């Protein structure tokens, strides 16, 4: 064929070739590269060939051959993205590409095969290799290849028309809140691990029922090749358990995942009742006694503002009701980076227009220590919620803050005696404003700082026994309304998370809300919000 005719034909088929490339690659950059390779091969072939009877079929055959080589070179049969490989079609033209629901289902089901079986499928049905050649290429026996092919054929025939029993592939979930109870490791916590929606959906898929990787893959309609690496990491880091040691083991998520799409209105009502009960039966008497204490029970803050200190008393009082860490050791998971915690998350999906009300969201309690010469010299306790002007995230509480604060306080609040960076950090956090410390301080002359922090209220007043009895009743009510919302295999964790309720930090915003309504508290200034619910005990010996 002469050059002029070849040029005309290339221009005529240019758009169709690019469309062919796009249908194969699903990616503009790869499609452009493939189209360029195809046009080069076709153009060279035109110049060498005369009297082509069926131009359409001729062009398509060359395009298919170039594509086959392109795929083979790119993936070398090892990491095959089946969603980018097209099922072989005839030379009937470009209009028949990707037609039919059966073909689409087949391609998805092939993507659910194991890595070995996907490779064998590709070699046999896409490259049309013989069984013997496949065996040599993969260094396995001919009998093994035949067994896999038989298993593949029967499996695909069974699955191709199966009815899906899940909608995760259509309406995947995502985590709106992630956190931990315990100590995060060097690599962070739940939020750092579940940095992709795929990981989140893997965990959710095997949350209520143990599933194999094949089950998970089918439910998400994501090829196993994409699932296995993420699943392996989630198992390694203790978020998902492998429950058996078979060739195709099952997996079960051990996190405490709350489905925000459930109805938690009864739980919210219980918490509001608790806030009302504690305000009337406990905090009213507590505040009256505190108002009479000229020394504010040893608590120090700017201007000895009793209203401000009462906010902190709310936090300190809950700790005095008991131990919210009971049975924690049994349920916490030790992570490879040194973390030791129970992982928490809250789930929603794209169909939920209204996200859960975060009015009562909180983060804490957060404890930090400062040591000097093998002696603990500072113990801090902090809780973050809507009434404190801090991010509701444990990351906003850093060891550097308490090191800087101790240096500032132990040097008589003289900014000239600490580094500029330390003073700047304290000022930026709002812990120091206009040269004055805003954090509530308790000077301890003897005794354990941790005990002082946790038992502060109990050390100054006797907590009535009926408060503890009421707490046990509330625990049982919360457990009864919540237990059906979580998997049976997490019964101990559900029981733990619905016990010692009166000690929970999450009651703080409910209690403060009630106190503001009835006038037991006055609103804080913006300056006070930066440091409220932050108390440090300092060894001043």
């Amino acid at each position: 064929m002469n050059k002029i005719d070849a040029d005309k034909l290339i221009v005529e088929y240019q758009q169709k070739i690019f469309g062919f490339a796009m249908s194969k690659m699903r990616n503009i950059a790869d499609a452009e590269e493939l189209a360029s390779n195809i046009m080069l091969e076709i153009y060279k072939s035109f110049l060498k060939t005369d009297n082509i009877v069926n131009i359409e079929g001729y062009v398509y055959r060359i395009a298919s051959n170039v594509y086959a080589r392109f795929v083979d070179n790119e993936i070398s049969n090892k990491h095959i993205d089946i969603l980018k490989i097209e099922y072989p079609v005839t030379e009937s033209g470009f209009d028949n590409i990707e037609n039919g629901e059966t073909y689409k289902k087949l391609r998805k089901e092939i993507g659910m095969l194991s890595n070995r079986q996907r490779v064998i499928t590709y070699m046999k049905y896409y490259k049309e290799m013989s069984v013997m050649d496949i065996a040599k290429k993969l260094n396995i026996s001919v009998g093994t290849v035949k067994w896999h092919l038989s298993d593949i054929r029967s499996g695909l025939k069974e699955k191709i028309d199966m009815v899906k029993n899940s909608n995760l592939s259509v309406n995947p979930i995502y985590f709106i809140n992630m956190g931990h109870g315990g100590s995060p490791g060097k690599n962070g916590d739940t939020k750092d691990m579940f940095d992709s929606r795929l990981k989140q959906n893997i965990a959710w898929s095997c949350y209520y029922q143990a599933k194999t990787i094949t089950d998970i893959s089918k439910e998400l309609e994501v090829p196993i090749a994409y699932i296995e690496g993420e699943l392996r990491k989630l198992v390694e880091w203790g978020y998902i358990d492998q429950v058996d040691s078979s060739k195709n083991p099952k997996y079960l998520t051990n996190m405490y995942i709350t489905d925000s799409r459930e109805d938690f209105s009864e739980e919210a009502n219980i918490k509001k009742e608790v806030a009302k009960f504690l305000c009337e039966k406990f905090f009213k008497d507590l505040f009256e006694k505190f108002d009479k204490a000229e020394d504010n029970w040893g608590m120090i803050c700017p201007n000895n503002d009793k209203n401000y200190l009462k906010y902190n008393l709310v936090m300190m009082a809950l700790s005095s009701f008991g131990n919210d860490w009971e049975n924690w050791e049994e349920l916490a998971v030790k992570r490879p980076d040194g973390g030791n915690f129970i992982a928490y998350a809250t789930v929603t999906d794209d169909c939920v227009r209204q996200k859960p009300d975060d009015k009562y969201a909180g983060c804490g309690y957060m404890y930090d220590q400062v040591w000097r010469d093998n002696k603990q010299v500072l113990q801090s306790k902090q809780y973050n919620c809507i009434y404190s002007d801090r991010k509701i995230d444990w990351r906003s509480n850093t060891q550097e803050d308490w090191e800087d604060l101790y240096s500032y306080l132990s040097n008589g609040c003289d900014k000239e005696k600490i580094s500029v960076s330390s003073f700047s950090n304290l000022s930026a956090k709002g812990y120091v404003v206009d040269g004055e410390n805003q954090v509530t301080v308790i000077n301890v002359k003897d005794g354990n700082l941790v005990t002082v922090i946790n038992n502060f209220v109990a050390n100054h007043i006797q907590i009535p026994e009926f408060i503890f009895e009421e707490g046990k009743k509330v625990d049982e009510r919360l457990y009864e309304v919540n237990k059906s919302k979580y998997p049976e295999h997490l019964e101990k964790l559900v029981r733990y998370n619905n016990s010692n309720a009166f000690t929970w930090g999450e009651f703080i915003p409910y209690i403060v809300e009630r106190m503001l309504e009835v006038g037991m508290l006055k609103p804080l200034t913006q300056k006070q919000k930066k440091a409220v619910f932050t108390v440090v005990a300092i060894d001043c010996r």
Side-chain angles (χ1 to χ4, degrees), residues 159-170:
K159 294 173 185 175
I160 194 65
D161 291 318
M162 71 183 300
V163 178
K164 297 181 179 65
N165 58 5
S166 168
N167 64 355
L168 273 183
S169 63
V170 178

Side-chain angles (χ1 to χ4, degrees), residues 435-448:
E436 187 174 35
N437 168 54
Q438 302 297 312
V439 174
T440 298
V441 177
I442 303 172
N443 289 316
V444 181
K445 295 180 181 179
D446 51 37
N448 186 295

